[in-house]
Amino acid sequence: MSTNGKVVAAFEELAVLSEILGANGFKVSALRRAARTIEALTSDACTMEASVLQAIDGIGASTVAKIHEFSTTGTMTELLELRAQVPAGLTQLLQIQGLGPKTVRSLWTDLEVVDLATLKAAIDSGAISKLPRMGPKSIENLKEGIEFLEQSRGRIRIGEALPIAEALVRELKTLPSVQRIAYAGSLRRGRETIGDIDVLAASTDAPALMEAFRARLDVAKVLVTGETKTSVLTKHGMQIDLRVVPLDRFGSALLYFTGSTEHNIRLRERAIAQQMRLNEYGLFHAREDGTVAEGASAIVSAEEPEIYAALGLQWVPPTMREDRGELDAFATGAKVPNVVEIKDIRAELHCHTVASDGAMTIDEIITLAQQRGFHTIAITDHSKSQAQAGGLPEPRLLEHIAAIHAARTRFPTMQIWAGSEVDILSDGSLDYTDEILAKLDWVVASPHAALKQESKLATARILAAIRHPLVHVIGHPTGRIVNGRPGLELAMDELFAAAKQHSTALEINAQHLRLDLRDTDVRGAMNAGCMIAINCDVHGDTDFDELRYGVLTAQRGWLPASQCLNALDAKSLNAWRMQKR
Ligand code: DGT
Ligand code: CA
Ligand code: CA
Ligand code: ZN
């Protein structure tokens, strides 16, 4: 998080706590407004002169004082005071979809709810219906929200786990005793959420490695520790398991601990069928009775590819190890699926500038895309209904199109498209008229509001956008947030068939909070012959780095580069765009 990000989070927390504590509405809105204003700043609020800060609309004297306090002490006295007054379990209730600070306050003051357990008790006893605006429908929604929260609890989004694992591996690799080290488990398979991080190492000095691991700054608690395995809990509440294995068994251990369990079971069955045994120590010859002779040495164990080869298979990428047909696809001699890779991606087709809710100018975004070696960029600010995200009314959109086109002379080697991320309204109509849409080079149509629509209506809504002749791609088709909200419940097969028929692409929104389409739906869309766009939905410069999560999701859906719009060459991509017009 940038420094401004931390200040913004502090102001948002102040607003939430104040609201739960019943502060007056003006104070709460002032805090929210301060948060939004700081969020939009392009320089570091903590280093700005007080007079400059205070001259900004939305920042008053007390905000300046709080920013100053934060920049010198790293926190705010008021924040600490408010936190002390609100039960910790109460703020956690805000993670439940649809439950805002106002309702949390009435739950607390009227029903003495202080955490999830007491909330559930209030629902079960029926006491909850005593609250204002708490009818059967709201209670039903609340129950669904709780169920969703409980399902996702304990699993961490890949975008939070991967950087932590990479930093850990990089750090421990510098120890002279470490011969090999890698992360395994669901993280290596690129799942959207991670239960715990599994790290595997080969080392000439296991005790020293374990010691270094335990001594890391972000370790909050050591759960178990020994010569071969240490588990810790980080300050972020994430469990990390570190296992030390002999160097010559690194491959079989990596295979075993990468999983999935289902993939491993298939491999073991295959070994047994060939009079062999596979385990974390290697691949062994089996005797008549199926057992391995005491002290037998492994046929292979050092590297994953040689184990697969001995089983009559080609090396299976970790993202495809889910027992979804990979053993057949990777049989020795088979022409294996050619899945898309990060290096294939040469275009970004969904991004936001300062014209709506992005942090960069047109030229800044294009420059970054160019630096990444991209040949094409489509700039797609929000449409008019997204007023809170700076959505563009028609006159401003027309100016913006001209401004984007004008950038072409400054970036002659880039293919630059003036686009829009147009809202798909709840009835399936689009947020601009066809006349306006026809002036755009590129149209991403996305659902943003009414994300709890009933399934039939929701499917009809997205289908209408897919069939619309001026739409190129459906952005984040379900609107879900990983561990946040389930999004639209769509009849996916109908969508895929229509997308194929109307030659409309579907997006994998690469933001790790979204990953929408999800991996299993990518596979369905791929099989139906749809084109898929992997877009970073860029709002700020670091968003381009979200690409890898989108690519991992695509790989888990077996998406070949030939079905990925962003992997086409500039000419083919443009030809694909034009066939819609
Ligand atoms: P997670 O952590 O819940 O996101 O998922 P994984 O896949 O990382 O699972 P985890 O951490 O329990 O174990 C890591 C890998 O170790 C797993 O993918 C396969 C292997 N493994 C663990 N326990 C077993 C087991 O009881 N049987 C088999 N066959 N493999 C196991
Ligand atoms: Ca794991
Ligand atoms: Ca584990
Ligand atoms: Zn969007």
PDB file of all heavy atoms in Angstrom, residues 176-199:
ATOM      1  N   PRO A 176      23.520 -19.429   2.515  1.00  0.00           N
ATOM      2  CA  PRO A 176      24.469 -20.273   1.780  1.00  0.00           C
ATOM      3  C   PRO A 176      24.108 -21.763   1.831  1.00  0.00           C
ATOM      4  O   PRO A 176      24.449 -22.508   0.904  1.00  0.00           O
ATOM      5  CB  PRO A 176      25.805 -20.004   2.495  1.00  0.00           C
ATOM      6  CG  PRO A 176      25.505 -19.176   3.682  1.00  0.00           C
ATOM      7  CD  PRO A 176      24.142 -18.624   3.569  1.00  0.00           C
ATOM      8  N   SER A 177      23.400 -22.205   2.858  1.00  0.00           N
ATOM      9  CA  SER A 177      23.100 -23.632   2.976  1.00  0.00           C
ATOM     10  C   SER A 177      21.935 -24.080   2.096  1.00  0.00           C
ATOM     11  O   SER A 177      21.704 -25.269   1.927  1.00  0.00           O
ATOM     12  CB  SER A 177      22.766 -23.960   4.438  1.00  0.00           C
ATOM     13  OG  SER A 177      21.512 -23.407   4.769  1.00  0.00           O
ATOM     14  N   VAL A 178      21.181 -23.112   1.559  1.00  0.00           N
ATOM     15  CA  VAL A 178      19.990 -23.481   0.788  1.00  0.00           C
ATOM     16  C   VAL A 178      20.366 -23.838  -0.656  1.00  0.00           C
ATOM     17  O   VAL A 178      20.894 -23.030  -1.386  1.00  0.00           O
ATOM     18  CB  VAL A 178      18.935 -22.356   0.822  1.00  0.00           C
ATOM     19  CG1 VAL A 178      17.793 -22.643  -0.137  1.00  0.00           C
ATOM     20  CG2 VAL A 178      18.392 -22.202   2.237  1.00  0.00           C
ATOM     21  N   GLN A 179      20.086 -25.095  -1.024  1.00  0.00           N
ATOM     22  CA  GLN A 179      20.420 -25.559  -2.372  1.00  0.00           C
ATOM     23  C   GLN A 179      19.277 -25.303  -3.347  1.00  0.00           C
ATOM     24  O   GLN A 179      19.489 -24.908  -4.486  1.00  0.00           O
ATOM     25  CB  GLN A 179      20.731 -27.059  -2.321  1.00  0.00           C
ATOM     26  CG  GLN A 179      21.905 -27.387  -1.404  1.00  0.00           C
ATOM     27  CD  GLN A 179      21.851 -28.823  -0.927  1.00  0.00           C
ATOM     28  OE1 GLN A 179      20.906 -29.235  -0.254  1.00  0.00           O
ATOM     29  NE2 GLN A 179      22.857 -29.604  -1.289  1.00  0.00           N
ATOM     30  N   ARG A 180      18.073 -25.570  -2.898  1.00  0.00           N
ATOM     31  CA  ARG A 180      16.899 -25.298  -3.715  1.00  0.00           C
ATOM     32  C   ARG A 180      15.765 -24.889  -2.815  1.00  0.00           C
ATOM     33  O   ARG A 180      15.647 -25.369  -1.701  1.00  0.00           O
ATOM     34  CB  ARG A 180      16.482 -26.549  -4.501  1.00  0.00           C
ATOM     35  CG  ARG A 180      17.178 -26.659  -5.827  1.00  0.00           C
ATOM     36  CD  ARG A 180      16.772 -27.915  -6.515  1.00  0.00           C
ATOM     37  NE  ARG A 180      15.589 -27.695  -7.360  1.00  0.00           N
ATOM     38  CZ  ARG A 180      15.196 -28.601  -8.275  1.00  0.00           C
ATOM     39  NH1 ARG A 180      15.854 -29.743  -8.421  1.00  0.00           N
ATOM     40  NH2 ARG A 180      14.151 -28.360  -9.026  1.00  0.00           N
ATOM     41  N   ILE A 181      14.892 -24.027  -3.322  1.00  0.00           N
ATOM     42  CA  ILE A 181      13.719 -23.634  -2.543  1.00  0.00           C
ATOM     43  C   ILE A 181      12.615 -23.187  -3.503  1.00  0.00           C
ATOM     44  O   ILE A 181      12.897 -22.533  -4.516  1.00  0.00           O
ATOM     45  CB  ILE A 181      14.067 -22.555  -1.487  1.00  0.00           C
ATOM     46  CG1 ILE A 181      12.827 -22.200  -0.648  1.00  0.00           C
ATOM     47  CG2 ILE A 181      14.671 -21.312  -2.115  1.00  0.00           C
ATOM     48  CD1 ILE A 181      13.155 -21.508   0.672  1.00  0.00           C
ATOM     49  N   ALA A 182      11.384 -23.578  -3.207  1.00  0.00           N
ATOM     50  CA  ALA A 182      10.260 -23.210  -4.076  1.00  0.00           C
ATOM     51  C   ALA A 182       8.970 -23.281  -3.272  1.00  0.00           C
ATOM     52  O   ALA A 182       8.875 -24.036  -2.302  1.00  0.00           O
ATOM     53  CB  ALA A 182      10.164 -24.178  -5.252  1.00  0.00           C
ATOM     54  N   TYR A 183       7.978 -22.492  -3.676  1.00  0.00           N
ATOM     55  CA  TYR A 183       6.672 -22.665  -3.042  1.00  0.00           C
ATOM     56  C   TYR A 183       5.892 -23.717  -3.832  1.00  0.00           C
ATOM     57  O   TYR A 183       6.093 -23.884  -5.035  1.00  0.00           O
ATOM     58  CB  TYR A 183       5.906 -21.346  -2.910  1.00  0.00           C
ATOM     59  CG  TYR A 183       5.661 -20.592  -4.189  1.00  0.00           C
ATOM     60  CD1 TYR A 183       4.592 -20.924  -5.009  1.00  0.00           C
ATOM     61  CD2 TYR A 183       6.486 -19.537  -4.567  1.00  0.00           C
ATOM     62  CE1 TYR A 183       4.358 -20.243  -6.178  1.00  0.00           C
ATOM     63  CE2 TYR A 183       6.267 -18.842  -5.748  1.00  0.00           C
ATOM     64  CZ  TYR A 183       5.198 -19.201  -6.545  1.00  0.00           C
ATOM     65  OH  TYR A 183       4.969 -18.531  -7.714  1.00  0.00           O
ATOM     66  N   ALA A 184       5.032 -24.450  -3.127  1.00  0.00           N
ATOM     67  CA  ALA A 184       4.270 -25.538  -3.746  1.00  0.00           C
ATOM     68  C   ALA A 184       2.783 -25.300  -3.458  1.00  0.00           C
ATOM     69  O   ALA A 184       2.355 -24.152  -3.398  1.00  0.00           O
ATOM     70  CB  ALA A 184       4.758 -26.872  -3.189  1.00  0.00           C
ATOM     71  N   GLY A 185       1.996 -26.385  -3.301  1.00  0.00           N
ATOM     72  CA  GLY A 185       0.597 -26.262  -2.888  1.00  0.00           C
ATOM     73  C   GLY A 185      -0.279 -25.499  -3.873  1.00  0.00           C
ATOM     74  O   GLY A 185       0.062 -25.304  -5.041  1.00  0.00           O
ATOM     75  N   SER A 186      -1.430 -25.053  -3.350  1.00  0.00           N
ATOM     76  CA  SER A 186      -2.417 -24.364  -4.185  1.00  0.00           C
ATOM     77  C   SER A 186      -1.849 -23.081  -4.778  1.00  0.00           C
ATOM     78  O   SER A 186      -2.297 -22.619  -5.819  1.00  0.00           O
ATOM     79  CB  SER A 186      -3.651 -24.042  -3.338  1.00  0.00           C
ATOM     80  OG  SER A 186      -3.260 -23.369  -2.155  1.00  0.00           O
ATOM     81  N   LEU A 187      -0.852 -22.501  -4.098  1.00  0.00           N
ATOM     82  CA  LEU A 187      -0.261 -21.265  -4.608  1.00  0.00           C
ATOM     83  C   LEU A 187       0.472 -21.530  -5.926  1.00  0.00           C
ATOM     84  O   LEU A 187       0.341 -20.784  -6.887  1.00  0.00           O
ATOM     85  CB  LEU A 187       0.714 -20.707  -3.563  1.00  0.00           C
ATOM     86  CG  LEU A 187       1.297 -19.338  -3.865  1.00  0.00           C
ATOM     87  CD1 LEU A 187       0.196 -18.303  -4.042  1.00  0.00           C
ATOM     88  CD2 LEU A 187       2.251 -18.906  -2.767  1.00  0.00           C
ATOM     89  N   ARG A 188       1.216 -22.634  -5.972  1.00  0.00           N
ATOM     90  CA  ARG A 188       1.923 -22.969  -7.216  1.00  0.00           C
ATOM     91  C   ARG A 188       0.920 -23.332  -8.314  1.00  0.00           C
ATOM     92  O   ARG A 188       1.177 -23.114  -9.487  1.00  0.00           O
ATOM     93  CB  ARG A 188       2.893 -24.135  -6.950  1.00  0.00           C
ATOM     94  CG  ARG A 188       3.745 -24.492  -8.171  1.00  0.00           C
ATOM     95  CD  ARG A 188       4.959 -25.332  -7.779  1.00  0.00           C
ATOM     96  NE  ARG A 188       5.751 -25.686  -8.938  1.00  0.00           N
ATOM     97  CZ  ARG A 188       5.931 -26.935  -9.389  1.00  0.00           C
ATOM     98  NH1 ARG A 188       5.399 -27.971  -8.733  1.00  0.00           N
ATOM     99  NH2 ARG A 188       6.654 -27.158 -10.459  1.00  0.00           N
ATOM    100  N   ARG A 189      -0.217 -23.863  -7.914  1.00  0.00           N
ATOM    101  CA  ARG A 189      -1.250 -24.190  -8.903  1.00  0.00           C
ATOM    102  C   ARG A 189      -2.043 -22.959  -9.332  1.00  0.00           C
ATOM    103  O   ARG A 189      -2.904 -23.033 -10.193  1.00  0.00           O
ATOM    104  CB  ARG A 189      -2.205 -25.265  -8.360  1.00  0.00           C
ATOM    105  CG  ARG A 189      -1.511 -26.551  -7.911  1.00  0.00           C
ATOM    106  CD  ARG A 189      -2.464 -27.740  -7.855  1.00  0.00           C
ATOM    107  NE  ARG A 189      -3.679 -27.496  -7.093  1.00  0.00           N
ATOM    108  CZ  ARG A 189      -3.783 -27.522  -5.768  1.00  0.00           C
ATOM    109  NH1 ARG A 189      -2.719 -27.828  -5.030  1.00  0.00           N
ATOM    110  NH2 ARG A 189      -4.941 -27.280  -5.173  1.00  0.00           N
ATOM    111  N   GLY A 190      -1.809 -21.836  -8.658  1.00  0.00           N
ATOM    112  CA  GLY A 190      -2.454 -20.590  -9.073  1.00  0.00           C
ATOM    113  C   GLY A 190      -3.917 -20.482  -8.726  1.00  0.00           C
ATOM    114  O   GLY A 190      -4.664 -19.772  -9.396  1.00  0.00           O
ATOM    115  N   ARG A 191      -4.339 -21.145  -7.642  1.00  0.00           N
ATOM    116  CA  ARG A 191      -5.752 -21.025  -7.254  1.00  0.00           C
ATOM    117  C   ARG A 191      -6.070 -19.606  -6.808  1.00  0.00           C
ATOM    118  O   ARG A 191      -5.214 -18.886  -6.319  1.00  0.00           O
ATOM    119  CB  ARG A 191      -6.073 -21.997  -6.113  1.00  0.00           C
ATOM    120  CG  ARG A 191      -6.387 -23.396  -6.607  1.00  0.00           C
ATOM    121  CD  ARG A 191      -6.983 -24.229  -5.488  1.00  0.00           C
ATOM    122  NE  ARG A 191      -8.240 -23.637  -4.993  1.00  0.00           N
ATOM    123  CZ  ARG A 191      -9.002 -24.204  -4.078  1.00  0.00           C
ATOM    124  NH1 ARG A 191      -8.662 -25.339  -3.531  1.00  0.00           N
ATOM    125  NH2 ARG A 191     -10.122 -23.615  -3.693  1.00  0.00           N
ATOM    126  N   GLU A 192      -7.337 -19.219  -6.916  1.00  0.00           N
ATOM    127  CA  GLU A 192      -7.712 -17.835  -6.589  1.00  0.00           C
ATOM    128  C   GLU A 192      -7.605 -17.534  -5.094  1.00  0.00           C
ATOM    129  O   GLU A 192      -7.405 -16.385  -4.707  1.00  0.00           O
ATOM    130  CB  GLU A 192      -9.117 -17.523  -7.100  1.00  0.00           C
ATOM    131  CG  GLU A 192     -10.195 -18.355  -6.422  1.00  0.00           C
ATOM    132  CD  GLU A 192     -11.546 -18.225  -7.100  1.00  0.00           C
ATOM    133  OE1 GLU A 192     -11.573 -18.111  -8.334  1.00  0.00           O
ATOM    134  OE2 GLU A 192     -12.556 -18.239  -6.390  1.00  0.00           O
ATOM    135  N   THR A 193      -7.770 -18.560  -4.254  1.00  0.00           N
ATOM    136  CA  THR A 193      -7.543 -18.365  -2.818  1.00  0.00           C
ATOM    137  C   THR A 193      -6.641 -19.480  -2.319  1.00  0.00           C
ATOM    138  O   THR A 193      -6.597 -20.572  -2.887  1.00  0.00           O
ATOM    139  CB  THR A 193      -8.847 -18.395  -1.995  1.00  0.00           C
ATOM    140  OG1 THR A 193      -9.473 -19.664  -2.187  1.00  0.00           O
ATOM    141  CG2 THR A 193      -9.791 -17.277  -2.390  1.00  0.00           C
ATOM    142  N   ILE A 194      -5.931 -19.190  -1.230  1.00  0.00           N
ATOM    143  CA  ILE A 194      -4.897 -20.078  -0.719  1.00  0.00           C
ATOM    144  C   ILE A 194      -5.200 -20.373   0.747  1.00  0.00           C
ATOM    145  O   ILE A 194      -5.426 -19.438   1.522  1.00  0.00           O
ATOM    146  CB  ILE A 194      -3.516 -19.362  -0.796  1.00  0.00           C
ATOM    147  CG1 ILE A 194      -3.252 -18.801  -2.208  1.00  0.00           C
ATOM    148  CG2 ILE A 194      -2.378 -20.256  -0.311  1.00  0.00           C
ATOM    149  CD1 ILE A 194      -3.268 -19.814  -3.306  1.00  0.00           C
ATOM    150  N   GLY A 195      -5.235 -21.642   1.118  1.00  0.00           N
ATOM    151  CA  GLY A 195      -5.468 -22.005   2.516  1.00  0.00           C
ATOM    152  C   GLY A 195      -4.234 -21.748   3.353  1.00  0.00           C
ATOM    153  O   GLY A 195      -4.279 -21.046   4.359  1.00  0.00           O
ATOM    154  N   ASP A 196      -3.100 -22.329   2.952  1.00  0.00           N
ATOM    155  CA  ASP A 196      -1.835 -21.994   3.588  1.00  0.00           C
ATOM    156  C   ASP A 196      -0.736 -22.064   2.529  1.00  0.00           C
ATOM    157  O   ASP A 196      -0.932 -22.621   1.456  1.00  0.00           O
ATOM    158  CB  ASP A 196      -1.533 -22.910   4.779  1.00  0.00           C
ATOM    159  CG  ASP A 196      -1.284 -24.351   4.364  1.00  0.00           C
ATOM    160  OD1 ASP A 196      -1.351 -24.680   3.172  1.00  0.00           O
ATOM    161  OD2 ASP A 196      -1.004 -25.173   5.264  1.00  0.00           O
ATOM    162  N   ILE A 197       0.388 -21.460   2.845  1.00  0.00           N
ATOM    163  CA  ILE A 197       1.509 -21.423   1.907  1.00  0.00           C
ATOM    164  C   ILE A 197       2.441 -22.587   2.233  1.00  0.00           C
ATOM    165  O   ILE A 197       2.839 -22.761   3.388  1.00  0.00           O
ATOM    166  CB  ILE A 197       2.263 -20.079   2.014  1.00  0.00           C
ATOM    167  CG1 ILE A 197       1.329 -18.932   1.623  1.00  0.00           C
ATOM    168  CG2 ILE A 197       3.516 -20.087   1.139  1.00  0.00           C
ATOM    169  CD1 ILE A 197       1.940 -17.550   1.778  1.00  0.00           C
ATOM    170  N   ASP A 198       2.749 -23.411   1.241  1.00  0.00           N
ATOM    171  CA  ASP A 198       3.647 -24.546   1.423  1.00  0.00           C
ATOM    172  C   ASP A 198       4.966 -24.238   0.731  1.00  0.00           C
ATOM    173  O   ASP A 198       4.977 -23.960  -0.466  1.00  0.00           O
ATOM    174  CB  ASP A 198       3.039 -25.803   0.786  1.00  0.00           C
ATOM    175  CG  ASP A 198       1.671 -26.115   1.381  1.00  0.00           C
ATOM    176  OD1 ASP A 198       1.622 -26.651   2.489  1.00  0.00           O
ATOM    177  OD2 ASP A 198       0.644 -25.776   0.743  1.00  0.00           O
ATOM    178  N   VAL A 199       6.054 -24.273   1.485  1.00  0.00           N
ATOM    179  CA  VAL A 199       7.363 -24.008   0.897  1.00  0.00           C
ATOM    180  C   VAL A 199       8.252 -25.227   1.124  1.00  0.00           C
ATOM    181  O   VAL A 199       8.211 -25.857   2.187  1.00  0.00           O
ATOM    182  CB  VAL A 199       8.012 -22.741   1.499  1.00  0.00           C
ATOM    183  CG1 VAL A 199       9.387 -22.495   0.880  1.00  0.00           C
ATOM    184  CG2 VAL A 199       7.114 -21.536   1.289  1.00  0.00           C
TER     185      VAL A 199
END
